[in-house]
Amino acid sequence: MTKKPVPYKIYLSEEEIPKQWYNLNAAMKVKHAPFLNPATLQPCSAAELSQVFCAECVEQELNDKDLYIDIPEDIRAFYKMYRPSPLVRAYVLEKALDTPAEIYYKFEGNNTSGSHKLNSAVAQAYYAKKQGLKSVTTETGAGQWGTALSMACAFYGLDLRVYMVKVSSEQKPYRKEVMRTYGATVIPSPSDSTEAGRKILKEFPGTGGSLGCAISEAVECAVSSPSCRYVLGSVLDHVVLHQSVIGLESKVAMEKYGVQPDIVIGCVGGGSNFGGLIAPFMGEKIQGKNNIEFIGVEPASCPSLTRGKYVYDFCDSAKITPLAKMYTLGCGFMPSASHAGGLRYHGMSPIVSALYHEGLMRAVAVEQTKVFEAAEFFARTEGILPAPESSHAIRAAIDEALKCKETGEKKTILFGLTGTGYFDMAAYKQYNDGTMTDTVPTDEELAKGFASIPAIPQNN
Ligand SMILES: *Cc1c(COP(=O)(O)O)cnc(C)c1O
């Protein structure tokens, strides 16, 4: 085969947007353990889950049989407004690093919400509308998920209530205005609009809130109205499923030029972009068709894979969600105030957790000053101002490329560039001012988080 020269950007046509998502859960030989009802410790039934989530998302959540699941034409029509996303050959970065490695990145920041989260927001809003629901609720910490969902809800004419962690809504007032522009109601959490919020306000007057508290408020609000459901932007299998468009498009684009990645890298918060990016490549690895190295990159301040335990734990800190078997730092773990808001989660996608446990991928933890060093280098070479979350993947990609420089190996590296960092300028300011610090939890601090893991038989 004669190899065509690879352009700076590989664009696919609209027709090449996938018509089906790739269900990594079906490709896995060892399935992850089911969600458990914390009261009965029995697997959650579809009926139980459907009280909180949209019916079709529950069906996808529990589907570990169908390798491909059709993307409804309506969702593809929305995808066409901002997809296919470009796959970029990082020629300028390669040259600046003086590496024999070839570096590619899949850029998901090319939409107004600024991240990959829109891929699942659109799908979840579509299914809510199709079910005849009038409204959905969610929580948002850093704001990317709330923004993506408000765009999707505006498109499908759904009311949206976003419980935004109070400190974030004060620190990022413009994020809030983007959501309001798309018609969402943004409520700083804790609020007096729910039982859970009132209770926390009474107990801790003046608190800045937390993600766990915002989840409790959003879930309470959803279950107290029959035409409302709660939607989540990461962690769950159906979110990983929706994000498989990232990996499917990447694979088609690379195959067009006869390129095969040796290493695939993504940042991991709840695991959805990473799970989606690696999905079709990992499926083939499980079938013995490739030997790709997969690397998940997490912040050293919130190291759920590299230092967490693989046990059943709550998905939220208020302990109201089902129990998931996953790598976790304990639902009571309070990560330090690092700038990668989207990666500050105590647990990890059950799919990614199972892959890690089976030894099919590895994980690295990186400190934020090193992450911003990479972000700055990337901005100055490739031009894109990356989100702090995405910059974790950049850090690892640069490190792998520098290893190639030492060994002379000509590896092909693919990484996920999940979003842009325009709302994170306070973080960039700290970095530029030289006042950014790294906080890595001590073993004693981690022990406190582990103590919050529910005391249930963990052998199942
Ligand atoms: C939310 C977010 C992440 C992390 O979420 P995952 O579910 O782990 O993908 C990464 N990058 C950006 C830009 C985000 O907004």
Side-chain angles (χ1 to χ4, degrees):
M1 181 170 62
T2 52
K3 239 178 128 175
K4 283 186 276 186
V6 178
Y8 273 72
K9 284 199 181 77
I10 309 175
Y11 285 110
L12 300 177
S13 71
E14 272 180 19
E15 275 318 296
E16 288 168 301
I17 294 175
K19 296 193 168 60
Q20 295 175 311
W21 288 301
Y22 187 92
N23 185 11
L24 187 49
N25 207 4
M28 290 165 68
K29 287 195 180 126
V30 180
K31 310 290 183 199
H32 68 73
F35 288 109
L36 297 184
N37 179 325
T40 62
L41 299 186
Q42 293 306 305
C44 287
S45 67
E48 279 172 322
L49 292 170
S50 301
Q51 288 166 13
V52 179
F53 301 105
C54 304
E56 198 134 351
C57 291
V58 170
E59 209 173 285
Q60 291 175 349
E61 187 66 29
L62 300 175
N63 185 337
D64 59 9
K65 300 277 181 305
D66 301 315
L67 191 55
Y68 288 95
I69 293 177
D70 286 348
I71 304 177
E73 227 6 85
D74 227 48
I75 296 175
R76 282 189 84 237
F78 192 109
Y79 280 171
K80 282 177 191 173
M81 289 197 283
Y82 70 100
R83 308 201 68 84
S85 70
L87 182 80
V88 186
R89 170 75 185 271
Y91 281 115
V92 187
L93 177 63
E94 287 171 18
K95 192 148 183 269
L97 293 172
D98 188 25
T99 174
E102 287 185 9
I103 307 174
Y104 295 80
Y105 58 92
K106 180 71 167 163
F107 181 43
E108 292 291 320
N110 244 347
N111 66 75
T112 295
S113 78
S115 81
H116 67 283
K117 291 201 170 69
L118 194 55
N119 299 329
S120 184
V122 170
Q124 296 195 53
Y126 167 80
Y127 290 124
K129 183 73 181 178
K130 192 176 156 215
Q131 193 177 334
L133 301 173
K134 297 279 181 285
S135 58
V136 291
T137 67
T138 198
E139 79 291 335
T140 199
Q144 288 98 314
W145 169 243
T147 309
L149 192 63
S150 44
M151 288 175 72
C153 286
F155 187 79
Y156 289 110
L158 285 166
D159 281 339
L160 168 63
R161 263 181 179 236
V162 180
Y163 287 91
M164 185 170 191
V165 178
K166 193 183 272 168
V167 278
S168 303
S169 76
E170 283 160 7
Q171 280 166 358
K172 296 183 168 184
Y174 296 142
R175 268 269 178 226
K176 195 162 114 195
E177 292 317 311
V178 179
M179 290 184 249
R180 291 180 64 209
T181 301
Y182 284 97
T185 304
V186 182
I187 303 162
S189 167
S191 74
D192 59 10
S193 71
T194 63
E195 199 70 45
R198 285 191 292 271
K199 190 162 163 249
I200 288 165
L201 281 175
K202 204 168 157 198
E203 233 173 287
F204 308 98
T207 174
S210 69
L211 213 48
C213 169
I215 295 177
S216 318
E217 289 206 90
V219 172
E220 181 187 323
C221 180
V223 297
S224 56
S225 162
S227 62
C228 184
R229 290 293 185 281
Y230 167 70
V231 292
L232 192 61
S234 184
V235 185
L236 301 178
D237 292 10
H238 67 271
V239 184
V240 174
L241 173 76
H242 303 152
Q243 295 299 352
S244 69
V245 286
I246 306 173
L248 289 163
E249 282 182 10
S250 302
K251 196 159 182 290
V252 170
M254 293 186 105
E255 279 168 1
K256 267 195 165 178
Y257 291 90
V259 183
Q260 254 274 30
D262 298 303
I263 306 176
V264 181
I265 299 170
C267 63
V268 285
S272 74
N273 88 81
F274 177 72
L277 172 68
I278 68 170
F281 299 105
M282 179 60 89
E284 289 193 352
K285 176 165 173 152
I286 291 169
Q287 293 161 0
K289 290 184 186 159
N290 70 43
N291 195 23
I292 297 174
E293 193 182 348
F294 298 95
I295 309 174
V297 192
E298 61 186 13
S301 58
C302 192
S304 33
L305 286 175
T306 51
R307 294 174 71 194
K309 290 192 196 297
Y310 191 42
V311 291
Y312 268 111
D313 192 11
F314 287 98
C315 302
D316 70 317
S317 46
K319 305 193 173 190
I320 56 172
T321 61
L323 299 168
K325 174 97 179 251
M326 60 184 173
Y327 276 87
T328 178
L329 297 166
C331 60
F333 177 75
M334 263 293 161
S336 67
S338 91
H339 291 295
L343 306 183
R344 292 180 69 226
Y345 182 62
H346 68 273
M348 181 55 61
S349 141
I351 289 182
V352 173
S353 293
L355 293 170
Y356 184 60
H357 199 66
E358 288 295 305
L360 287 161
M361 59 171 280
R362 64 187 176 91
V364 294
V366 291
E367 295 176 358
Q368 69 173 350
T369 50
K370 289 268 182 280
V371 167
F372 275 81
E373 205 175 86
E376 181 193 77
F377 194 77
F378 186 79
R380 291 182 187 180
T381 50
E382 290 292 313
I384 296 170
L385 184 85
E389 291 88 353
S390 325
S391 305
H392 286 68
I394 298 175
R395 174 76 265 167
I398 289 177
D399 289 345
E400 289 302 319
L402 290 175
K403 269 189 223 162
C404 288
K405 186 178 172 176
E406 263 173 37
T407 60
E409 281 173 293
K410 201 176 167 310
K411 286 188 180 170
T412 300
I413 300 168
L414 164 65
F415 74 89
L417 187 66
T418 50
T420 48
Y422 303 117
F423 286 99
D424 299 282
M425 297 324 294
Y428 276 95
K429 179 177 189 304
Q430 262 196 13
Y431 180 73
N432 292 332
D433 288 347
T435 55
M436 182 176 279
T437 55
D438 294 313
T439 26
V440 180
T442 61
D443 287 343
E444 290 72 45
E445 281 161 340
L446 289 188
K448 270 190 227 159
F450 293 144
S452 66
I453 293 169
I456 60 161
Q458 290 284 2
N459 52 355
N460 41 352

